Amino acid sequence: MSVKIPGVTDFAAGIIMKTIRWGILSTARIAHQFAEDFAWVNNGQLMAVASRSQQAAREFAAHHGIPTAHAGYARLYADPDIDAIYVATPHALHLQNSSDALRAGKAVLCEKPLTVSVDEADELKRVSQATGNYLMEAMWTWFLPAIQQALAWYEAGKIGKLLHIKSDFGHPILPYSDARREYNRELGGGVVADMGIYPIAIAYLFTRQDPVKIQVRAAHAPNGVEDDVAAIFTYQDCRATMSASFRCRLPNATHVIGDRGQIVIPDFWAARTCHLYRDGQAAESFVDERASHGYHYEAVAVGEDLLAGRRESPVMPLDVSRKLQEHIALVRAQC
């Protein structure tokens, strides 16, 4: 099965579509933030939302001005007025939900982590390839202008040889309850895949390497799910120290350190600024003065890919999503 990508000329009909018609699967908190940011998406339009509850779907649609509210996900998959679906369900449901959407002929932007294992990531890629439909993990951080600027500084050699990355992300998810998604083992709970994926992904963005050695220290919630983790990734010629926590608020910053300077990214997971230091002195700064959360950047990028006829993102290809699953598995194996 293959979906006709809007924006690609239909020579028979002589029609070019320029707007991607989006549906949202789930009415979770992050789905609300994604919907709010559509005010800044210039190549897409929110047309539908689906929830297991008709009332929840109607309330979400009314709040965000979305025309159609579907009771049940199957109706969204079958909706002929939808080109792309944003999957915002818990981690353990991503494989099934994304596979169903791809097989229904939809492009898919799936929340991170893409799946809960390397095997599932491989399976989802096979579905994408078999259907010929677009799939991308929603690693929104990589599309933020401040992150792109930091990467450009690094690639231009402005900090010299990379020696160290320090990155952490933690917010208190308290009080503990095994009914909460973050702690629920059946839903893929645990801090490594939930918050830890951010420092793991930012380390890979700058190194593009597998670690040759890892060291991990972890604490656990009463049900055994890891809820506070520190890891050291040692690469061939540099290292990354990373931490993630449900127990406390961490600095939530990333430092990319070279032998000639460093790049500091405050609140890197939702970055609005980044700063370049040379010889201990401030050299350059970048500020993203957006009014949005920042999710619109990834949505616009998906729209551009679809309009260009691409089946994968050049920024966040599926091979990178698989690599992140590998690194998550390495950390969890030592938790």
Side-chain angles (χ1 to χ4, degrees):
M1 183 186 298
S2 179
V3 63
K4 178 174 285 297
I5 302 299
V8 178
T9 303
D10 183 334
F11 292 102
I15 297 172
I16 299 179
M17 296 177 63
K18 295 182 179 180
T19 300
I20 305 302
R21 301 167 300 177
W22 285 82
I24 294 180
L25 194 151
S26 174
T27 54
R29 181 181 70 251
I30 198 167
H32 279 281
Q33 295 172 336
F34 185 81
E36 288 166 4
D37 277 8
F38 248 77
W40 291 272
V41 176
N42 59 9
N43 60 3
Q45 183 176 3
L46 278 182
M47 299 298 295
V49 62
S51 174
R52 291 172 297 179
S53 159
Q54 179 70 79
Q55 181 178 351
R58 285 175 176 166
E59 290 175 354
F60 188 100
H63 182 75
H64 295 288
I66 299 173
T68 303
H70 290 300
Y73 301 153
R75 293 186 178 182
L76 180 61
Y77 302 142
D79 191 331
D81 295 323
I82 297 300
D83 305 308
I85 292 177
Y86 169 62
V87 174
T89 49
H91 311 335
L93 304 180
H94 288 176
L95 174 62
Q96 186 65 60
N97 296 153
S98 297
S99 295
D100 289 345
L102 290 166
R103 291 187 176 113
K106 310 303 184 185
V108 172
L109 173 64
C110 179
E111 254 313 317
K112 66 199 171 313
L114 183 66
T115 57
V116 295
S117 70
V118 173
D119 287 345
E120 284 196 0
D122 289 341
E123 173 61 22
L124 196 49
K125 182 176 180 178
R126 283 193 290 269
V127 174
S128 175
Q129 292 175 333
T131 60
N133 292 319
Y134 183 97
L135 171 65
M136 190 188 92
E137 181 177 13
M139 186 56 66
W140 70 299
T141 299
W142 283 28
F143 294 86
L144 298 174
I147 297 298
Q148 289 295 311
Q149 179 60 69
L151 185 62
W153 283 336
Y154 168 67
E155 291 178 339
K158 293 196 173 185
I159 64 168
K161 180 182 177 181
L162 179 63
L163 298 177
H164 206 123
I165 296 171
K166 295 179 180 290
S167 186
D168 49 54
F169 185 43
H171 286 284
I173 306 295
L174 299 170
Y176 160 79
S177 170
D178 59 9
R180 299 183 75 150
R181 177 193 63 78
E182 292 87 354
Y183 292 99
N184 190 315
R185 191 181 296 275
E186 292 183 358
L187 296 179
V191 76
V192 174
D194 195 279
M195 292 184 181
I197 191 172
Y198 283 100
I200 288 172
I202 205 74
Y204 188 73
L205 179 65
F206 286 93
T207 64
R208 301 291 176 163
Q209 296 181 44
D210 291 321
V212 296
K213 178 182 178 181
I214 69 168
Q215 298 163 274
V216 178
R217 293 293 181 269
H220 299 82
N223 68 344
V225 169
E226 81 283 348
D227 64 353
D228 190 278
V229 174
I232 301 174
F233 280 23
T234 300
Y235 307 96
Q236 288 289 91
D237 50 8
C238 64
R239 70 181 55 191
T241 57
M242 299 170 283
S243 55
S245 182
F246 287 161
R247 296 188 176 197
C248 59
R249 186 178 303 276
L250 296 175
N252 299 337
T254 291
H255 295 245
V256 185
I257 304 164
D259 61 357
R260 294 172 50 209
Q262 70 170 297
I263 298 164
V264 179
I265 314 171
D267 290 323
F268 78 100
W269 62 282
R272 293 175 181 269
T273 63
C274 59
H275 309 283
L276 174 67
Y277 294 86
R278 301 286 297 275
D279 300 320
Q281 302 296 317
E284 296 183 54
S285 289
F286 173 87
V287 179
D288 175 9
E289 296 181 345
R290 67 178 187 266
S292 69
H293 299 290
Y295 294 103
H296 69 287
Y297 294 118
E298 65 179 357
V300 169
V302 170
E304 290 173 350
D305 288 341
L306 295 178
L307 293 171
R310 289 188 284 269
R311 304 297 179 179
E312 276 193 62
S313 166
V315 176
M316 191 66 198
L318 295 176
D319 285 348
V320 168
S321 293
R322 187 187 197 279
K323 189 62 66 177
L324 299 184
Q325 285 295 322
E326 291 176 3
H327 292 181
I328 287 171
L330 288 172
V331 173
R332 278 191 150 168
Q334 291 196 30
C335 283

